[in-house]
Amino acid sequence: MNEFNPPKRILMGPGPSDADPRVLRALSAPLVGHLDPAFLGVMDEIQQLLRTVFETRNRLTIPVSATGSAGMEAAFVNLIEPGDAVVVCVNGVFGERMSDIVTRCGGRLTRVETQWGHGLDMEEVRKTLQRTRPRILAAVQAETSTGVLTPPARLREVLKEFPETLLLLDCVTSLGGHPVEIDRHGVDFAYSGTQKCLSCPPGLAPITVSDRGVERIRQRKTKVQSWYLDLTMVEKYWGADRTYHHTAPISMNYALRESLRLIVEEGLQNRYDRHRLNHQALVAGVEAMGLEMLVRPEDRLWVLNTVRVPDGVSDAAVRSRLLSDFGIEIGGGLGPLKDRIWRVGLMGASSHPNNVLMLLNALERILRQEGVRLAPGSGVEAASAVFDRQEPPV
Ligand SMILES: *Cc1c(COP(=O)(O)O)cnc(C)c1O
């Protein structure tokens, strides 16, 4: 068996995104013990950096040692006790996953369902809160399966009338690409993942919990049913006690630290502006080619763009040619959107004008060869025009 040499890829799917070379270098640094004073320093710095990127002062702000789904599971297993009423907003795969976890925790689930590809109906959310008076309202800020944004400010607005309800927010795809502003919007529990807009390999789930959230966990009458994700123990490992709980994935924490340093160096606002601009250029290019976006402009994510597959075109054939001929990975649709959309990620290091222009050029060539009659004028030109109207990208 030979050494594994991965093919050269440009990662423009729903995650993982491309990692910055500095992050990959950090990953390969020599190991130290997980209770080595040098590593304890790394743990402290990661907590500080995460507070900056989440825009929070929450003391309990740490990476859970597993992927984004473990962040989701940690949120619900810690906050829910059997019989608790929970409202979950569902407009894609990840709202579905939340619902599944809530019922596994013994929560009394009420779903506010919205058609996939559409923004939440906040009036419907309000009515459901009124009717069920839940302990928790949960929503996905960036629904990676559909490309729809749920602004946390609108959830907070609805929650004004329901002071007892905690707000739980999935920030897996939004953190580092869209503003999350945890404290400003009074989010009580947020979780993310490393391989989306943080541009780090998959493996850690940064979380942050408000004082109210911590209080709710302390007041539990029953033990958290997951030993590994029980935050009352995990927080002691990350806090002053350093009580051994599990062995932190050392190298992944090196990588996360470097990716967060990169974000702070770039500046949060610059980073959001970059994600917005590359999104705008991509949409201009896609539309100039005569293709259509799935989501209406006001509900669109910048970091995950969903494009309708034109009639008569095979979704899988186009994606497989993008990969084999151009080394570009994009995603296909899931569930009701299977075969109907492409999912183009512009996350973290992958959100770059080169990638936008390269993808538009590749897509245009493949679609013409597949016999699609594209609108006259080129996607690349339309996207370039958007970049030309802006400051030169860094
Ligand atoms: C990717 C993703 C998850 C799950 O994260 P994994 O790292 O795949 O476990 C959860 N929520 C959203 C919105 C995601 O995009």
Side-chain angles (χ1 to χ4, degrees):
M1 205 182 288
N2 297 325
E3 181 186 17
F4 177 61
N5 278 308
K8 187 167 155 47
R9 300 288 194 227
I10 298 158
L11 298 179
M12 300 181 70
S17 59
D18 283 326
D20 188 280
R22 271 172 53 183
V23 171
L24 297 177
R25 235 169 17 240
L27 260 181
S28 66
L31 293 184
V32 295
H34 74 118
L35 296 174
D36 189 305
F39 189 69
L40 300 184
V42 167
M43 291 167 85
D44 289 342
E45 288 161 356
I46 288 176
Q47 295 178 65
Q48 273 175 33
L49 287 162
L50 278 177
R51 288 188 193 103
T52 304
V53 173
F54 270 122
E55 296 190 68
T56 183
R57 299 161 68 102
N58 289 341
R59 196 186 49 78
L60 182 51
T61 303
I62 58 172
V64 168
S65 303
T67 71
S69 302
M72 183 187 290
E73 192 134 27
F76 290 110
V77 294
N78 282 279
L79 290 180
I80 297 182
E81 289 196 86
D84 284 357
V86 180
V87 169
V88 176
C89 303
V90 184
N91 59 349
V93 165
F94 295 103
E96 287 289 349
R97 187 172 296 180
M98 283 177 159
S99 306
D100 186 358
I101 295 176
V102 169
T103 56
R104 285 167 193 252
C105 296
R108 277 188 295 123
L109 170 71
T110 308
R111 295 155 56 105
V112 181
E113 304 210 33
T114 312
Q115 203 189 332
W116 289 30
H118 292 257
L120 296 185
D121 177 347
M122 290 298 165
E123 188 45 33
E124 197 59 36
V125 176
R126 202 188 60 78
K127 281 191 206 144
T128 309
L129 292 174
Q130 193 87 54
R131 190 157 49 78
T132 62
R133 299 279 162 172
R135 304 258 290 164
I136 298 168
L137 169 67
V140 180
Q141 184 181 7
E143 209 0 299
T144 322
S145 60
T146 63
V148 169
L149 173 72
T150 296
R154 300 195 53 205
L155 296 169
R156 175 45 58 202
E157 180 65 30
V158 175
L159 278 174
K160 269 189 192 152
E161 298 167 48
F162 308 92
E164 298 305 311
T165 303
L166 297 187
L167 175 57
L168 193 163
L169 193 66
D170 178 311
C171 297
V172 176
T173 291
S174 50
L175 189 69
H178 285 262
V180 298
E181 300 175 300
I182 296 304
D183 286 359
R184 178 162 174 214
H185 303 306
V187 177
D188 293 297
F189 199 124
Y191 59 88
S192 189
T194 40
Q195 77 276 24
K196 312 277 170 94
C197 292
L198 300 183
S199 269
C200 198
L204 293 177
I207 62 164
T208 185
V209 191
S210 72
D211 291 346
R212 263 170 29 119
V214 170
E215 198 45 41
R216 179 75 64 88
I217 299 171
R218 296 218 195 295
Q219 285 171 357
R220 291 179 66 98
K221 294 183 195 70
T222 55
K223 267 191 168 181
V224 174
Q225 57 272 57
S226 163
W227 179 88
Y228 190 65
L229 298 173
D230 183 341
L231 290 177
T232 60
M233 296 193 289
V234 175
E235 78 169 329
K236 291 199 183 110
Y237 180 46
W238 281 84
D241 300 357
R242 308 292 181 177
T243 314
Y244 166 67
H245 177 259
H246 64 283
T247 311
I250 309 288
S251 309
M252 274 309 302
N253 279 284
Y254 294 167
L256 174 60
R257 178 178 177 280
E258 194 57 22
S259 74
L260 295 170
R261 257 162 46 82
L262 278 158
I263 295 176
V264 171
E265 270 175 34
E266 180 174 10
L268 289 176
Q269 192 58 52
N270 291 340
R271 194 173 176 92
Y272 304 143
D273 291 346
R274 169 166 67 84
H275 281 86
R276 188 190 323 105
L277 176 62
N278 290 322
H279 155 76
Q280 287 167 342
L282 179 79
V283 171
V286 160
E287 290 181 341
M289 283 162 61
L291 304 179
E292 282 172 38
M293 299 296 291
L294 172 73
V295 178
R296 53 180 202 161
E298 55 272 37
D299 295 325
R300 280 179 200 158
L301 291 173
W302 308 330
V303 297
L304 193 286
N305 301 271
T306 44
V307 181
R308 289 182 194 274
V309 176
D311 287 341
V313 171
S314 155
D315 151 49
V318 171
R319 278 189 295 127
S320 110
R321 286 206 50 198
L322 274 172
L323 194 66
S324 60
D325 299 359
F326 296 90
I328 299 175
E329 176 183 283
I330 66 167
L334 300 173
L337 296 171
K338 186 170 164 12
D339 302 325
R340 293 181 43 212
I341 57 166
W342 289 308
R343 292 186 298 151
V344 180
L346 293 172
M347 303 182 188
S350 293
S351 174
H352 193 285
N354 288 354
N355 285 359
V356 171
L357 298 173
M358 202 153 33
L359 173 68
L360 288 169
N361 176 54
L363 201 55
E364 198 160 323
R365 288 174 55 183
I366 293 170
L367 289 177
R368 282 193 208 282
Q369 283 162 12
E370 294 275 318
V372 181
R373 291 174 133 226
L374 294 177
S378 130
V380 170
E381 260 170 54
S384 304
V386 171
F387 291 129
D388 290 345
R389 284 201 298 271
Q390 300 289 325
E391 304 281 300
V394 204

